[in-house]
Amino acid sequence: MNVGERMKNIRKKKGINADQLAAEIGVSRSTIFRYEKGDIEKVPVDVVSKVADALNVDLTYLMGLKPDEITGEINKVVTSLHHDRQKKVLAYAQEQLTDQISIMDGPETLAAHQADPNHKINDQEAKEIGDYLDGEIDKYNSDK
């Protein structure tokens, strides 16, 4: 994953749109999209630093030099385990991923299956739907 992809993932997770980030770091929205798509591969360090500050993330994580906090913690725990236990953790993680995929092919599937008027969408489902819609809006706007 490159800087632009990490930038986009973090931005979306934090609910920040491209216009907000662009205004915060002093570039155009189209430049943000170009960074995120990888059209601009060599993002200047001063810009990456501004993006890290705006997104409130560690600069070394944004640059791909260090894993995010939870990934780092998972790595520490797993590498401390005996090989047999590492296999169990891997099997469990793969099971969780398979379960996640089977539950939701994507937020559009979740939204389409909410025909039950008594079902209340939880915060995580709402965030995933929002992130999906933001991505679709971004794609639409960048194609203009």
Side-chain angles (χ1 to χ4, degrees), residues 87-97:
K87 285 182 185 178
K88 289 179 182 179
V89 170
L90 176 60
Y92 179 74
Q94 289 170 329
E95 178 184 310
Q96 291 300 304
L97 180 59

Side-chain angles (χ1 to χ4, degrees), residues 10-26:
I10 296 164
R11 178 177 65 76
K12 291 196 172 276
K13 282 181 186 175
K14 294 191 177 237
I16 298 170
N17 68 38
D19 290 320
Q20 292 168 316
L21 182 58
E24 182 77 24
I25 68 168

Side-chain angles (χ1 to χ4, degrees), residues 36-107:
E36 292 178 351
K37 286 182 179 179
D39 292 345
I40 300 174
E41 293 179 18
K42 295 182 181 180
V43 182
V45 175
D46 64 315
V47 173
V48 177
S49 180
K50 288 178 185 178
V51 170
D53 288 344
L55 296 176
N56 196 29
V57 296
D58 185 85
L59 176 62
T60 57
Y61 167 67
L62 186 58
M63 293 178 70
L65 303 174
K66 176 175 129 179
D68 66 8
E69 186 177 323
I70 195 160
T71 303
E73 287 298 312
I74 290 169
N75 288 339
K76 276 193 249 179
V77 169
V78 171
T79 56
S80 299
L81 293 173
H82 184 273
H83 184 69
D84 291 341
R85 291 182 185 260
Q86 288 178 349
K87 285 182 185 178
K88 289 179 182 179
V89 170
L90 176 60
Y92 179 74
Q94 289 170 329
E95 178 184 310
Q96 291 300 304
L97 180 59
T98 301
D99 186 48
Q100 176 179 300
I101 291 168
S102 70
I103 289 171
M104 182 189 315
D105 292 330

